[in-house]
């Protein structure tokens, strides 16, 4: 069962578990958030955005084609506001920052900054708390590229703690999980209702 955080006639927001893929991977026999939710609803939900397999928290689905189209347009027009919480390596001195660097896909599923061939990508963030050689932040992705928050923070020298794809692999292996969580999604429904859905922040990100 996937925990449901919000549901109405058009949308359903779930609390995605860490370690479960959003949509089918190469091994089609493995459960995904989409397949688990389909079993719960008795019909296939329409996916409008994805979370990395290693990331948990709020994830939004549409329940009908009309809402699917509406939400796709809302994401495209940047009218859906997402908030993530992350623990990163190093001490970030500035209270707020915007990272505006283009991203593209490289080999082995890795994404990276490429000033010439990358797609426009922007992530804003603010510091919540500074710790010993680590910093707790809230990140607000303006665009929605794959691995965007992870790549941008790695690019400025502050990879997310536990990220085995970006950062010092030997150091990252010492942490059990990726310290990134989808904390909140805000959007306006088709009938003009403002909806804000939150997921409880894991204990390891409450410092």
């Amino acid at each position: 069962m996937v925990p449901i955080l919000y549901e109405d006639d058009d949308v359903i927001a779930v609390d995605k578990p860490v370690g479960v893929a959003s949509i089918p991977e190469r091994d089609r026999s493995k459960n995904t958030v989409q397949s688990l939710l389909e079993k719960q609803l008795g019909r296939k939900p329409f996916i409008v955005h994805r979370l990395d397999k290693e990331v948990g928290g709020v994830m939004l689905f549409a329940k009908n084609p009309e809402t699917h189209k509406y939400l796709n347009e809302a994401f495209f027009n940047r009218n859906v506001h997402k908030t993530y919480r992350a623990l990163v390596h190093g001490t970030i001195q500035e209270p707020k920052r915007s990272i505006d660097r283009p991203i593209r896909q490289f080999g082995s599923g890795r994404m990276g900054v490429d000033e010439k061939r990358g797609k426009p990508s922007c992530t804003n963030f603010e510091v919540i708390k500074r710790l010993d050689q680590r910093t707790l932040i809230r990140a607000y992705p303006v665009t929605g590229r794959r691995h965007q928050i992870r790549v941008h923070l790695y690019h400025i020298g502050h990879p997310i703690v536990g990220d085995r794809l970006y950062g010092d692999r030997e150091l990252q292996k010492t942490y059990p999980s990726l310290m990134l969580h989808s904390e909140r999604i805000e959007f306006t429904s088709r009938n003009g209702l403002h909806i804000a859905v939150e997921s409880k922040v894991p204990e390891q990100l409450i410092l």
Side-chain angles (χ1 to χ4, degrees):
M1 296 284 288
V2 181
I4 295 174
L5 299 171
Y6 173 84
E7 183 177 7
D8 61 26
D9 291 339
D10 292 326
V11 302
I12 183 166
V14 303
D15 203 357
K16 177 190 173 297
V18 172
V20 180
S22 296
I23 60 174
E25 300 179 301
R26 291 182 180 178
D27 185 351
R28 298 279 173 165
S29 66
K30 291 185 177 181
N31 282 325
T32 65
V33 178
Q34 188 177 33
S35 68
L36 290 171
L37 189 56
E38 180 178 356
K39 293 175 184 177
Q40 287 176 232
L41 296 176
R43 54 194 170 98
K44 192 170 184 177
F46 297 82
I47 192 163
V48 292
H49 73 117
R50 305 175 191 178
L51 293 179
D52 296 342
K53 188 174 183 177
E54 305 91 341
V55 178
V58 185
M59 186 174 174
L60 192 64
F61 289 85
K63 296 174 74 174
N64 53 64
E66 295 79 14
T67 303
H68 184 228
K69 180 181 178 182
Y70 171 81
L71 288 175
N72 278 336
E73 291 175 352
F75 272 93
F76 180 80
N77 293 321
R78 302 177 185 176
N79 292 326
V80 178
H81 305 286
K82 296 172 287 182
T83 301
Y84 290 77
R85 186 175 295 212
L87 182 67
V88 304
H89 289 288
T91 303
I92 299 177
Q93 297 298 337
E94 57 267 66
K96 296 181 179 181
R97 183 168 174 179
S98 180
I99 310 170
D100 193 353
R101 291 290 183 272
I103 292 174
R104 76 172 177 91
Q105 184 167 344
F106 290 81
S108 303
R110 282 175 60 93
M111 306 294 287
V113 169
D114 187 325
E115 300 292 349
K116 293 183 179 180
R117 299 172 57 191
K119 294 181 179 180
S121 309
C122 181
T123 303
N124 300 321
F125 71 83
E126 62 182 355
V127 170
I128 300 174
K129 189 176 183 180
R130 296 179 184 88
L131 306 157
D132 183 24
Q133 299 300 315
R134 295 175 298 167
T135 306
L136 186 65
I137 68 168
R138 280 196 183 93
Y140 309 95
V142 179
T143 51
R145 310 301 177 198
R146 183 169 182 258
H147 295 178
Q148 178 179 304
I149 298 174
R150 299 163 66 181
V151 170
H152 273 164
L153 290 167
Y154 170 69
H155 179 72
I156 65 170
H158 295 283
I160 296 174
V161 171
D163 193 339
R164 300 185 183 188
L165 197 57
Y166 304 98
D168 184 324
R169 291 186 179 182
E170 293 305 313
L171 173 63
Q172 300 288 39
K173 284 180 181 179
T174 64
Y175 297 92
S177 61
L178 175 67
M179 299 296 184
L180 177 64
H181 182 75
S182 174
E183 183 176 358
R184 181 182 175 94
I185 286 182
E186 295 181 64
F187 62 98
T188 300
S189 68
R190 287 191 341 173
N191 59 10
L193 179 66
H194 177 263
I195 298 173
V197 186
E198 293 188 354
S199 167
K200 183 179 179 181
V201 177
E203 290 185 7
Q204 63 265 33
L205 288 174
I206 302 175
L207 302 168

